[in-house]
Amino acid sequence: MYRDGGILTICLCGALVALAINITGAQTPTPTMEVAATPSPEQVATFTGAIYLDAHNAEAPVAAKVGDIVCGEGVTVNIPGGPGGPGPVGFGYRVAVLSQEARPGCGFDGAVITFFVGGRQASQIGIWRAGVTQIMALTAPPFAFVGGSLSSEIALPGQTLVPFIGNQPCGYASGSLPPTYSAFVYAAQQQAGCGVEGAEITFKLLDAQGNVIAVAREKGTWHAWDGSSPPQQLNLTMVPVGTPEVTVVSVGDAPAQSGKGQLRSVWMALAALGLAGVATGAELRRRVRI
């Protein structure tokens, strides 16, 4: 009986252990790993380019919105050159704008996207295109972008090329001065008295003390840069201050001239009259001889 009782006791203990294991297993669910879904390329529209705050390349956070909904936040990237082409590495952004399938209220084909740079709304807008990468600089506020060749009779080291609106200095120029330049011309939103659409831009060369020593013959026109177009092309010829402008005109237009130009025209007219007089005298002598 002792042997049978031992066997019975062992059996009962084994059954209780098995029951406890089954109950514990039923109450503890198997852990699972949740993986966040990554939008496919077809679910995003991508934008990338340089960042300009107050007309200077800068590093700043970028957000893209469709309406009032944030549909993408940018990451900072390095880009070569900026709008002027090849050159030093500058600050840029890259942002993937989600579709309305990935985030309700976001992008769909043709949706308008607004951008915010460092919390300030950029001048540019984007159009949502699924799976497409668009290159566009962001500017806050806008500025005019002008560039081209530069020729000057004055040595440039220590001197600067400055764009003016009227008598107001409104920006700066960079590049390989000479033979090329890139000018960033401020808007009135950035500096009072500066650029508005259609305003005339004059380019002046200043010495180290800020004195104007030369002025470009050519004039530019202020237009807000859209962030993707080439710069407004304007080749500059610098003329030293005080150089007279001589215009060759007919004798009848001489009163409209002044200074050396008028004097030259007067002498040309007198010379023409003198030659006419000589010719008339020769003709009279010929007739007398006959």
Side-chain angles (χ1 to χ4, degrees):
M1 289 300 293
Y2 175 80
R3 182 179 300 173
D4 292 341
I7 293 173
L8 180 60
T9 302
I10 292 172
C11 291
L12 288 174
C13 289
L16 290 174
V17 171
L19 180 61
I21 292 174
N22 289 336
I23 293 174
T24 303
Q27 292 179 341
T28 306
T30 302
T32 59
M33 180 179 294
E34 294 184 2
V35 179
T38 301
S40 66
E42 292 75 19
Q43 291 178 295
V44 300
T46 304
F47 293 83
T48 186
I51 299 173
Y52 288 89
L53 289 175
D54 295 322
H56 289 79
N57 184 224
E59 183 178 11
V62 173
K65 292 184 177 182
V66 175
D68 295 327
I69 301 174
V70 176
C71 299
E73 294 180 312
V75 295
T76 301
V77 297
N78 289 326
I79 58 170
V89 172
F91 295 112
Y93 75 98
R94 185 179 181 86
V95 59
V97 186
L98 298 175
S99 68
Q100 60 184 358
E101 289 79 15
R103 182 174 295 174
C106 285
F108 54 89
D109 192 49
V112 174
I113 303 165
T114 54
F115 297 92
F116 292 80
V117 182
R120 299 161 63 182
Q121 185 168 348
S123 305
Q124 292 71 27
I125 61 171
I127 302 298
W128 200 91
R129 295 283 184 266
V132 176
T133 297
Q134 302 177 50
I135 300 174
M136 181 175 66
L138 300 179
T139 64
F143 59 84
F145 181 35
V146 185
S149 65
L150 173 68
S151 62
S152 176
E153 299 175 359
I154 303 175
L156 290 174
Q159 298 160 359
T160 55
L161 181 68
V162 178
F164 278 70
I165 305 291
N167 294 320
Q168 174 80 20
C170 290
Y172 66 99
S174 62
S176 304
L177 302 174
T180 62
Y181 76 99
S182 296
F184 302 79
V185 191
Y186 300 153
Q189 297 100 301
Q190 180 176 346
Q191 185 170 303
C194 287
V196 295
E197 285 296 328
E200 184 178 80
I201 307 170
T202 303
F203 291 89
K204 300 180 182 182
L205 194 64
L206 278 59
D207 63 15
Q209 288 72 43
N211 302 310
V212 177
I213 58 176
V215 180
R217 287 196 177 100
E218 300 78 14
K219 310 290 185 183
T221 303
W222 200 95
H223 295 300
W225 184 50
D226 63 6
S228 56
S229 299
Q232 178 187 156
Q233 189 72 24
L234 185 66
N235 298 327
L236 300 179
T237 305
M238 307 306 298
V239 179
V241 173
T243 301
E245 294 187 9
V246 177
T247 305
V248 178
V249 296
S250 64
V251 175
D253 293 333
Q257 290 187 311
S258 61
K260 295 181 179 179
Q262 182 177 1
L263 185 61
R264 175 182 291 186
S265 296
V266 172
W267 279 111
M268 289 175 65
L270 292 175
L273 291 173
L275 290 174
V278 171
T280 302
E283 178 64 21
L284 289 174
R285 287 193 296 271
R286 187 182 67 81
R287 291 181 180 181
V288 171
R289 290 194 186 103
I290 294 174

